[in-house]
């Protein structure tokens, strides 16, 4: 996806699709003459720092700003239980 050519040091907008960062944006700075093919972002999930991997799937120039779409790659991210599968975490133990 690194066919988008920009200058090192140029800021661009990352738009996240899917996963826990769905719909959010981030301003990033190019560290070479292309945008990042892959971005890893971190979030605390139940007290643990969890890595989420996003891959570039498209890019465009909007006026003088470059925007890059990143799509969540669950198979390359740290595993996270779905909310409905996490069970009761109220701090009490189930007793029979």
């Amino acid at each position: 996806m690194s066919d988008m050519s920009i200058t090192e040091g140029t800021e661009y907008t990352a738009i996240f699709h899917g996963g826990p960062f769905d719909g959010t944006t981030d301003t990033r700075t190019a560290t070479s003459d292309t945008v990042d093919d892959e971005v890893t972002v971190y979030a605390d999930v139940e007290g643990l720092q969890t890595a989420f991997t996003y891959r570039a799937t498209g890019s465009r120039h909007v006026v003088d700003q470059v925007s890059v779409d990143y799509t969540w790659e669950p198979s390359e991210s740290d595993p996270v239980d779905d909310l409905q599968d996490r069970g009761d975490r109220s701090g009490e133990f189930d007793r029979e």
Side-chain angles (χ1 to χ4, degrees):
M1 179 37 246
S2 62
D3 58 342
M4 172 64 72
S5 181
I6 60 175
T7 308
E8 182 177 348
T10 300
E11 288 187 345
Y12 64 94
T13 301
I15 304 168
F16 297 104
H17 302 279
F21 291 90
D22 186 38
T24 64
T25 62
D26 185 26
T27 300
R28 304 187 59 83
T29 303
T31 57
S32 66
D33 60 352
T34 62
V35 298
D36 294 327
D37 286 334
E38 180 179 288
V39 174
T40 301
V41 288
Y42 297 89
D44 284 337
V45 177
E46 295 185 343
L48 298 174
Q49 190 165 32
T50 306
F52 298 95
T53 301
Y54 286 79
R55 243 186 233 298
T57 56
S59 59
R60 62 196 165 280
H61 277 97
V62 179
V63 187
D64 291 334
Q65 180 69 38
V66 174
S67 296
V68 181
D69 292 309
Y70 287 94
T71 302
W72 182 42
E73 295 291 335
S75 64
E76 296 179 29
S77 301
D78 288 344
V80 177
D81 292 336
D82 287 334
L83 285 174
Q84 64 268 20
D85 296 335
R86 292 184 189 178
D88 180 13
R89 307 259 169 105
S90 64
E92 298 202 25
F93 295 100
D94 292 331
R95 295 189 177 115
E96 293 183 10

